[in-house]
Amino acid sequence: MKLTILGCYSATPSAFANPTSQVLDIKNHLFLIDCGEGTQVQLRRQRVKFARIKHIFISHLHGDHFFGLPGLISTFVLLGREAPLHVYGPKGIKDGITLLLKLGKSWTNFPLVFHELSSAVPECIYEDDKVEVHTVPLDHRVYTNGFLFREKPGERKLKIEEVLKYDIDKCYYRNIKNGKDIQLATGEVIPNEKLTADPPSPKSYAFCSDTAYKPELVPWIEGVDMLYHESTFLEQHTDLAAKTKHSTAKQAAMIAHESGAGTLLLGHYSSRYNDLEAFRKEAQTVFPRVELAEDGKTFDF
Amino acid sequence: MKLTILGCYSATPSAFANPTSQVLDIKNHLFLIDCGEGTQVQLRRQRVKFARIKHIFISHLHGDHFFGLPGLISTFVLLGREAPLHVYGPKGIKDGITLLLKLGKSWTNFPLVFHELSSAVPECIYEDDKVEVHTVPLDHRVYTNGFLFREKPGERKLKIEEVLKYDIDKCYYRNIKNGKDIQLATGEVIPNEKLTADPPSPKSYAFCSDTAYKPELVPWIEGVDMLYHESTFLEQHTDLAAKTKHSTAKQAAMIAHESGAGTLLLGHYSSRYNDLEAFRKEAQTVFPRVELAEDGKTFDF
């Protein structure tokens, strides 16, 4: 998986920092996560091919997480897009976006499919042969979901020298990769584990923004390889965090620790702080492996 | 008047150019004209004080002219604005903006007043003691207005040495500035023209975007000091201009010539052209005084 941060700040865009948006590349399949104002410009700056975005996940309907969506969709129209676009987001998103497009008498020349979410418990909202996406219900001022992207286990890897040793016909390779044992013409059965090795372990990414500290979500993201968890505030502002239903860097680190995450990625910083390293330091008092989201940064895992 | 170009391109924002938005400063009173996506970032870059914007004029409801408005209003909310904000735009703008704010359960803590426009003929939509704003109905694919900003004539200028010569009490100065004659204690009447000079001639600015070539608008903007007229295309693409109801640089120049404008300002360029000077050259075949709108440029007149 390759994650690109398009915007990492909370609330209002500033002259040089953008509100929340990320692109997740899973085996050349692009998922856009949140779409604050200016996201289409950030996509251009990062040279992301617009046509490769087929699925957009919106966590909640605060402006800094979706006000870039009508403009992005309008641009898809102008570029002559024909491929369907799927948008997953809270109930109401369809009315909001379609009204704005209708006001300009512009409608899409491609299928625009809204998947409106309202469940209070995790659900699988997307699945193909490589990936599953599950919601991670969060605790914010409005209905909000995080998203868990989980690769499916790949095919088992052929130990080609073993396979050749038994002179097995190529048409059985798929069965072997799928874990089947093989019976030779002699009647001898070769167990699958002799012919294959385990596939690389499937990766997972959890995006959790915006939310108050919510330990209930830990079982839903257990063992995730990369956890993005918002850290709007530092501990010196726990009162503001509680009031606005956001988290501190330390609280984010507690979630990372409890869920056994591989790496914690912080972001959604309040613009009141100048030094992002303070977020890393605070989180590392609880959890060692901390990265800082910054516009334009990429993470491979 | 001082005009700052925040965005000058048509349709989609690119990595380095923004869709339509301008700020007009008339005697320290700021008017925002159109508000494409990213306008709030452009305002920050140009160091425009957000609190000084009290009136926003939206020409039409295509995304590249108003998708920055919900984000700008949300930012006003976060900044704790208390002063009223007036938005002038086509019928429907209120529903669109308020639905988006409602989805995020955010509402303004300041009076947000929409003035919805639907007249097919020019009307005065704003007036204070210094300025009048009139609509300039245009010809586009959706209901669209240009806007004419016209300073009111200022007070006459006191010829202070003359006034002192007659030993006139200061409490009469306002009357004199307003054009009144003065009767001295001796009974002698001093005619106003002896005591005052003409005020500087009031300036005017017309913003005409987006529109097909529409010579009918000429009488409405006659003698305007600065005319912004869209030039999405060059003459080589008159077919596209006609089809999409936009203008060419030459057509913009014809409007400038026929209305006796002081200066023609071109903008709303299609991103298919790399060399903006081609727009100036084409316009100058018809009208000599041509300026090119570019993001961040300012014009004093």
Side-chain angles (χ1 to χ4, degrees):
Chain A
M1 294 192 185
K2 181 185 174 186
L3 180 71
T4 302
I5 308 298
L6 302 174
C8 71
Y9 271 82
S10 68
T12 64
S14 76
F16 305 102
N18 292 277
T20 303
S21 187
Q22 305 184 353
V23 187
L24 183 64
D25 185 339
I26 305 180
K27 296 172 179 166
N28 286 320
H29 191 146
L30 293 193
F31 299 93
L32 185 67
I33 309 168
D34 280 352
C35 189
E37 185 175 350
T39 292
Q40 59 174 319
V41 172
Q42 286 296 92
L43 285 168
R44 291 235 164 117
R45 289 199 182 136
Q46 299 303 322
R47 298 174 185 279
V48 176
K49 289 241 167 70
F50 282 24
R52 287 181 55 210
I53 297 172
K54 294 181 181 128
H55 301 274
I56 302 179
F57 297 84
I58 302 293
S59 63
H60 65 301
L61 299 182
H62 280 156
D64 55 326
H65 294 257
F66 90 110
F67 279 175
L69 189 53
L72 182 61
I73 291 171
S74 300
T75 295
F76 285 151
V77 174
L78 288 165
L79 295 176
R81 180 188 181 109
E82 292 179 359
L85 179 69
H86 294 266
V87 177
Y88 304 77
K91 203 165 157 44
I93 190 170
K94 180 177 177 174
D95 280 354
I97 299 297
T98 51
L99 176 57
L100 251 62
L101 296 174
K102 271 183 205 165
L103 285 175
K105 288 190 189 162
S106 57
W107 195 235
T108 61
N109 30 9
F110 55 87
L112 175 59
V113 187
F114 287 93
H115 304 262
E116 294 200 313
L117 309 174
S118 55
S119 171
V121 295
E123 52 181 352
C124 180
I125 55 172
Y126 175 80
E127 185 176 7
D128 63 20
D129 56 340
K130 291 174 183 161
V131 191
E132 278 182 9
V133 184
H134 296 256
T135 55
V136 180
L138 301 174
D139 178 17
H140 195 41
R141 305 194 302 278
V142 294
Y143 177 71
T144 304
N145 285 299
F147 300 104
L148 174 65
F149 298 81
R150 207 188 275 285
E151 280 182 353
K152 291 184 172 177
E155 294 175 325
R156 297 186 62 76
K157 286 192 142 181
L158 281 189
K159 293 181 187 162
I160 193 68
E161 64 295 351
E162 292 292 324
V163 173
L164 291 175
K165 200 184 291 176
Y166 294 107
D167 195 22
I168 298 168
D169 193 281
K170 275 188 180 166
C171 68
Y172 293 108
Y173 284 10
R174 179 136 312 272
N175 279 346
I176 299 173
K177 286 181 183 173
N178 285 332
K180 297 260 167 67
D181 299 336
I182 290 292
Q183 188 169 26
L184 303 180
T186 62
E188 186 189 357
V189 173
I190 314 295
N192 188 272
E193 53 266 36
K194 268 197 128 173
L195 303 173
T196 63
D198 288 344
S201 71
K203 298 293 176 188
S204 57
Y205 173 63
F207 169 88
C208 296
S209 183
D210 300 359
T211 188
Y213 174 60
K214 182 178 179 181
E216 295 81 359
L217 66 81
V218 165
W220 304 332
I221 60 168
E222 199 136 20
V224 71
D225 291 287
M226 174 75 98
L227 167 63
Y228 171 87
H229 193 292
E230 72 125 295
S231 57
T232 309
F233 296 104
L234 294 173
E235 282 286 301
Q236 66 191 97
H237 292 117
T238 41
D239 53 333
L240 280 178
K243 191 178 149 198
T244 59
K245 293 214 167 191
H246 283 298
S247 298
T248 66
K250 186 178 173 189
Q251 289 170 334
M254 286 160 67
I255 298 291
H257 172 73
E258 289 158 29
S259 60
T263 302
L264 170 64
L265 178 60
L266 297 175
H268 200 265
Y269 321 107
S270 161
S271 56
R272 81 192 59 227
Y273 305 108
N274 292 320
D275 175 23
L276 297 188
E277 281 300 327
F279 286 86
R280 192 200 302 266
K281 265 188 213 156
E282 183 175 295
Q284 282 181 334
T285 61
V286 175
F287 184 82
R289 296 172 301 281
V290 179
E291 296 283 354
L292 299 174
E294 288 182 76
D295 297 8
K297 258 196 195 172
T298 60
F299 299 92
D300 286 284
F301 53 96
Chain B
M1 293 194 185
K2 180 184 174 186
L3 180 71
T4 302
I5 307 298
L6 301 174
C8 71
Y9 271 82
S10 68
T12 63
S14 75
F16 305 102
N18 292 277
T20 304
S21 187
Q22 307 183 352
V23 187
L24 182 65
D25 185 339
I26 305 179
K27 295 171 177 164
N28 286 319
H29 192 145
L30 291 194
F31 299 93
L32 185 67
I33 309 169
D34 279 351
C35 189
E37 185 175 349
T39 293
Q40 59 175 319
V41 172
Q42 287 296 93
L43 285 168
R44 291 234 163 117
R45 290 198 181 136
Q46 300 303 322
R47 299 175 184 280
V48 176
K49 288 240 167 72
F50 282 24
R52 287 181 56 210
I53 297 172
K54 292 179 181 129
H55 301 275
I56 301 179
F57 296 85
I58 302 293
S59 63
H60 65 299
L61 299 183
H62 280 157
D64 55 324
H65 294 257
F66 90 111
F67 279 174
L69 190 54
L72 182 61
I73 291 170
S74 299
T75 295
F76 285 151
V77 174
L78 288 166
L79 295 176
R81 181 188 180 109
E82 293 180 357
L85 179 69
H86 294 267
V87 176
Y88 304 77
K91 200 161 159 45
I93 191 169
K94 179 176 177 174
D95 280 354
I97 300 298
T98 52
L99 175 58
L100 249 62
L101 296 174
K102 270 183 205 164
L103 286 175
K105 287 191 189 160
S106 58
W107 195 233
T108 61
N109 31 10
F110 55 87
L112 175 59
V113 187
F114 287 93
H115 304 263
E116 295 199 313
L117 309 174
S118 55
S119 171
V121 294
E123 53 181 350
C124 179
I125 55 172
Y126 175 79
E127 184 176 9
D128 64 21
D129 55 341
K130 291 173 183 160
V131 190
E132 277 181 11
V133 184
H134 296 255
T135 56
V136 180
L138 301 175
D139 178 17
H140 195 40
R141 304 193 304 276
V142 294
Y143 177 72
T144 303
N145 284 300
F147 301 104
L148 174 66
F149 299 81
R150 205 188 276 285
E151 279 182 354
K152 291 183 173 178
E155 294 174 324
R156 299 187 61 75
K157 285 195 141 179
L158 281 190
K159 294 180 188 165
I160 193 69
E161 64 294 352
E162 292 293 324
V163 173
L164 293 174
K165 199 186 289 175
Y166 296 105
D167 196 22
I168 297 167
D169 192 281
K170 277 189 179 167
C171 68
Y172 293 107
Y173 284 10
R174 178 135 311 270
N175 279 347
I176 298 173
K177 286 180 182 174
N178 285 331
K180 297 263 168 65
D181 299 336
I182 290 293
Q183 187 168 28
L184 302 180
T186 62
E188 185 190 358
V189 172
I190 314 294
N192 187 272
E193 54 267 35
K194 269 198 128 172
L195 303 173
T196 63
D198 288 344
S201 72
K203 298 291 178 191
S204 56
Y205 173 62
F207 169 88
C208 295
S209 184
D210 300 0
T211 188
Y213 174 60
K214 182 179 178 179
E216 295 81 0
L217 67 80
V218 166
W220 304 332
I221 59 167
E222 197 135 24
V224 71
D225 291 287
M226 173 75 100
L227 167 63
Y228 171 86
H229 193 291
E230 71 125 295
S231 57
T232 309
F233 295 105
L234 295 172
E235 282 285 301
Q236 64 190 98
H237 292 118
T238 42
D239 53 332
L240 280 179
K243 190 179 150 197
T244 58
K245 293 214 169 192
H246 283 298
S247 298
T248 66
K250 186 178 174 189
Q251 289 170 333
M254 286 160 68
I255 299 291
H257 172 72
E258 289 158 27
S259 61
T263 301
L264 169 64
L265 178 60
L266 297 175
H268 201 264
Y269 320 108
S270 160
S271 57
R272 80 191 60 228
Y273 306 107
N274 292 319
D275 175 24
L276 297 188
E277 282 300 328
F279 287 86
R280 192 201 302 266
K281 265 189 212 153
E282 182 176 296
Q284 282 181 333
T285 61
V286 175
F287 184 83
R289 297 171 301 280
V290 179
E291 296 282 355
L292 298 175
E294 287 182 76
D295 296 8
K297 259 195 193 174
T298 60
F299 299 92
D300 286 283
F301 52 97

